[in-house]
Amino acid sequence: MTGLPNIVLVVMDTACWDVVSNDQEAAQEINQLSNQSTTFSTCITSAPWTLPSHASLFTSCTPSRTGTHAGNKQLGTELKTLPKILSNMGYETVAVSNNTWISEEFGFDRGFETFRKNWQYVQSDVDIGEIARREDGIDKYIEVGKRLLDGNPLVNTANAVYGQFFRKRQDDGAKRTNEWISEWLTGRNTDQPFFLFINYLEPHLEYRPSRAYAERFLPDDTSYTEAMEVNQNAWDYIAGNVEMSDHDFEILQALYRAEVAYLDERIGELRCLLEESGDWDDTIFVVMGDHGENIGDYELMDHQYCLYDTLLHVPLIVHGEPFTGGQEIDDPVQLTDIAPTLFDATGIEAPEFREQAQGRSFHPDADTEPREYTFAEYMAPQPSMDALEKRVGDLPEEVYKYDRSLRAIRSTEWKYIRGSDGSEELYHVAEDPGETENLIDTEPEKASELEEELDTWLQSFEHADADGDVSMREETKDRLEDLGYLQ
């Protein structure tokens, strides 16, 4: 070791605070880790979906500053990033991503010496697995034959077969992620500290846990076969094309918990790998969510179209000096605060990064005051109304209410949400954590106070001038649609 600690940053994609932090049955390993770590019980993400939330995580800037959102699906090169700074300081930087958004195509490979796209069996820039899903009959074989010749035919064939027939039989990549990490830990240069970033995808739609995990959580009157038949198409539900009962959502909640339980065991396995390699005691280990999930909440599915705490309140657990001991911190923190905290924990100054950062360190020795407010942004609807119409057909008029951007400011007591359509919402989250009663008409002074604070914050930094969409390969679009992201 060089004296610098290793850093392992684990993102549980689509992980809700309630399930990860309060469900002892679904998150046994994580709760055990929490008992030995520091848990931040009021961690708020900067955006309710993967692309902008990860941009905020890596840059310590909110979506208005990064310019990364549904209207510009690219993390640009203007801002410094956490992996790039760590690489410059001598860290071996490694990423294992199971989510297509987090890839080089969208700018997230910058600073990583190794970037593994775990949806591929052999790492390649060419991806043809989507053809088997997109084409039928003879057209499938014609298209596969064409694409096989683009690059390395053997690699392309291996990736196509893996993506079509094998990848989803076991999990969404957590098992294979850990297998690769085990080999990497065995062969790496132990004289060099490492930064390992992992995006695990299991809690993301669709929920397809194995029978063994699902049956631990399903209602007694529901078989595994029946559970697998419940609608999981969020967009058909939102558009009113399918009706779903409370029992349907109870089943989906159970499947979601089963996915979390499976991933929980894989995170425990990851810890064991670090212990076996002798790295655990020299590692800052962070487990977090990038955003939450709506499973029938607010008549929504997936993680779009709102800024309620079901999407914004995420788990955050940090282990390693000085974050041991099992304490729980109630002070609000944001995902933008993680990078400055890691720099304080490593003793890295990173002055240019800190100058751009909108986050503030929550390291115990940091000279920072606790946050009074946290902020979140939803810069454009994703999917857009046009994309939704192309997928599901004509939309009911009420669905067009989602065609707006949103910003939110939250204290420990109150939350104010403002839409570009002129809509306003105010919730007394301390007494109404489910955000069920909009008090905008009965508490006008509080709403005005929070709106003024929100505007003051928006005026305090330079906004990105990025408003164009990134060009992406057709196979990337198809893979994102498999995850429920309509383009």
Side-chain angles (χ1 to χ4, degrees):
M1 283 295 296
T2 62
L4 290 170
N6 305 312
I7 301 171
V8 176
L9 183 54
V10 175
V11 173
M12 302 177 69
D13 204 302
T14 321
C16 294
W17 157 262
D18 284 343
V19 174
V20 174
S21 300
N22 296 327
D23 192 329
Q24 294 288 334
E25 186 178 1
Q28 296 177 18
E29 294 287 341
I30 292 174
N31 277 279
Q32 182 178 347
L33 175 68
S34 178
N35 292 335
Q36 304 162 359
S37 309
T38 299
T39 300
F40 296 87
S41 59
T42 312
C43 181
I44 304 299
T45 186
S46 299
W49 62 291
T50 296
L51 182 81
S53 66
H54 278 73
S56 293
L57 174 66
F58 282 1
T59 64
S60 189
C61 295
T62 50
S64 286
R65 182 76 177 89
T66 66
T68 308
H69 48 75
N72 181 61
K73 302 181 178 75
Q74 181 78 33
L75 176 58
T77 59
E78 299 81 8
L79 296 172
K80 308 294 181 183
T81 66
L82 171 65
K84 184 63 175 177
I85 297 295
L86 292 174
S87 177
N88 291 342
M89 294 302 298
Y91 275 80
E92 179 183 2
T93 51
V94 177
V96 186
S97 174
N98 290 282
N99 190 319
T100 309
W101 284 123
I102 310 306
S103 65
E104 81 286 351
E105 196 160 357
F106 302 103
F108 286 95
D109 62 328
R110 189 154 47 97
F112 284 108
E113 180 181 339
T114 302
F115 197 102
R116 182 173 179 81
K117 297 176 287 187
N118 211 41
W119 52 89
Q120 294 183 335
Y121 187 75
V122 181
Q123 299 298 287
S124 170
D125 289 336
V126 178
D127 189 349
I128 65 174
E130 90 286 351
I131 294 175
R133 299 187 297 272
R134 191 181 64 197
E135 304 289 354
D136 293 311
I138 190 65
D139 291 338
K140 176 189 298 187
Y141 299 102
I142 292 173
E143 287 299 316
V144 167
K146 291 178 182 178
R147 195 71 63 85
L148 284 175
L149 301 177
D150 186 4
N152 187 318
L154 292 177
V155 169
N156 295 341
T157 301
N159 284 335
V161 171
Y162 174 69
Q164 174 67 9
F165 297 108
F166 294 102
R167 179 169 183 259
K168 292 186 178 181
R169 287 188 178 183
Q170 297 177 328
D171 59 11
D172 277 330
K175 180 177 185 293
R176 192 159 173 257
T177 293
N178 286 5
E179 290 172 348
W180 184 88
I181 290 171
S182 178
E183 294 181 5
W184 168 72
L185 284 171
T186 301
R188 62 173 298 273
N189 177 9
T190 57
D191 292 330
Q192 185 180 12
F194 63 81
F195 169 57
L196 173 61
F197 165 78
I198 307 167
N199 175 290
Y200 288 118
L201 194 58
E202 270 64 25
H204 199 290
L205 273 172
E206 291 182 349
Y207 316 133
R208 298 293 177 189
S210 69
R211 180 186 298 269
Y213 282 87
E215 289 179 346
R216 289 169 49 188
F217 300 96
L218 285 173
D220 292 338
D221 62 350
T222 304
S223 70
Y224 180 72
T225 300
E226 291 170 334
M228 291 296 101
E229 294 174 351
V230 173
N231 173 65
Q232 294 198 38
N233 187 314
W235 314 124
D236 276 339
Y237 169 70
I238 291 172
N241 291 345
V242 296
E243 293 185 5
M244 298 185 67
S245 66
D246 289 344
H247 186 59
D248 289 334
F249 286 118
E250 182 184 9
I251 292 170
L252 292 186
Q253 286 276 3
L255 295 177
Y256 176 86
R257 293 175 65 206
E259 292 277 29
V260 170
Y262 174 78
L263 180 53
D264 175 73
E265 290 192 16
R266 293 301 178 193
I267 290 174
E269 179 182 65
L270 174 64
R271 173 178 178 169
C272 289
L273 292 175
L274 292 166
E275 291 173 338
E276 291 168 1
S277 67
D279 292 304
W280 177 255
D281 290 338
D282 296 316
T283 295
I284 299 171
F285 191 77
V286 182
V287 177
M288 52 166 282
D290 61 337
H291 57 76
E293 185 82 313
N294 282 318
I295 308 177
D297 310 273
Y298 312 103
E299 299 183 338
L300 291 169
M301 287 176 64
D302 201 71
H303 40 273
Q304 304 295 348
Y305 299 147
C306 76
L307 289 179
Y308 300 123
D309 274 7
T310 48
L311 302 191
L312 299 186
H313 190 188
V314 294
L316 176 61
I317 300 165
V318 186
H319 183 273
E321 293 296 340
F323 298 103
T324 56
Q327 63 267 35
E328 181 172 315
I329 305 296
D330 294 330
D331 294 333
V333 299
Q334 294 215 236
L335 296 194
T336 52
D337 301 337
I338 291 176
T341 302
L342 292 175
F343 288 140
D344 279 352
T346 57
I348 294 175
E349 294 185 4
E352 292 183 348
F353 186 97
R354 292 180 190 269
E355 184 177 350
Q356 82 181 23
Q358 293 176 275
R360 61 179 71 179
S361 173
F362 51 73
H363 190 281
D365 297 334
D367 186 21
T368 54
E369 294 294 323
R371 283 183 173 276
E372 185 175 2
Y373 301 110
T374 55
F375 302 90
E377 297 181 295
Y378 187 57
M379 301 296 290
Q382 167 64 31
S384 67
M385 297 301 105
D386 287 343
L388 198 56
E389 288 172 349
K390 289 178 182 177
R391 172 55 69 91
V392 302
D394 293 337
L395 299 175
E397 186 62 32
E398 63 183 27
V399 176
Y400 290 94
K401 67 184 178 183
Y402 300 129
D403 191 17
R404 78 281 194 255
S405 61
L406 297 168
R407 287 190 169 103
I409 177 173
R410 187 191 193 282
S411 68
T412 56
E413 293 284 325
W414 295 89
K415 180 197 277 186
Y416 170 78
I417 306 170
R418 183 174 67 192
S420 60
D421 58 354
S423 61
E424 293 181 289
E425 299 172 69
L426 179 70
Y427 299 100
H428 194 185
V429 289
E431 296 183 359
D432 178 24
E435 295 166 276
T436 61
E437 185 179 3
N438 184 2
L439 302 177
I440 195 68
D441 293 326
T442 58
E443 297 282 352
E445 291 185 3
K446 177 56 68 174
S448 179
E449 172 191 328
L450 291 175
E451 182 179 31
E452 184 177 346
E453 292 287 351
L454 175 61
D455 286 334
T456 299
W457 174 75
L458 287 169
Q459 295 164 12
S460 68
F461 60 91
E462 181 180 356
H463 292 222
D465 191 25
D467 57 3
D469 204 352
V470 66
S471 176
M472 67 182 83
R473 298 187 296 265
E474 285 301 314
E475 54 265 30
T476 301
K477 291 182 181 180
D478 290 338
R479 191 178 302 283
L480 289 171
E481 289 198 11
D482 280 350
L483 295 176
Y485 295 101
L486 307 185
Q487 305 303 309

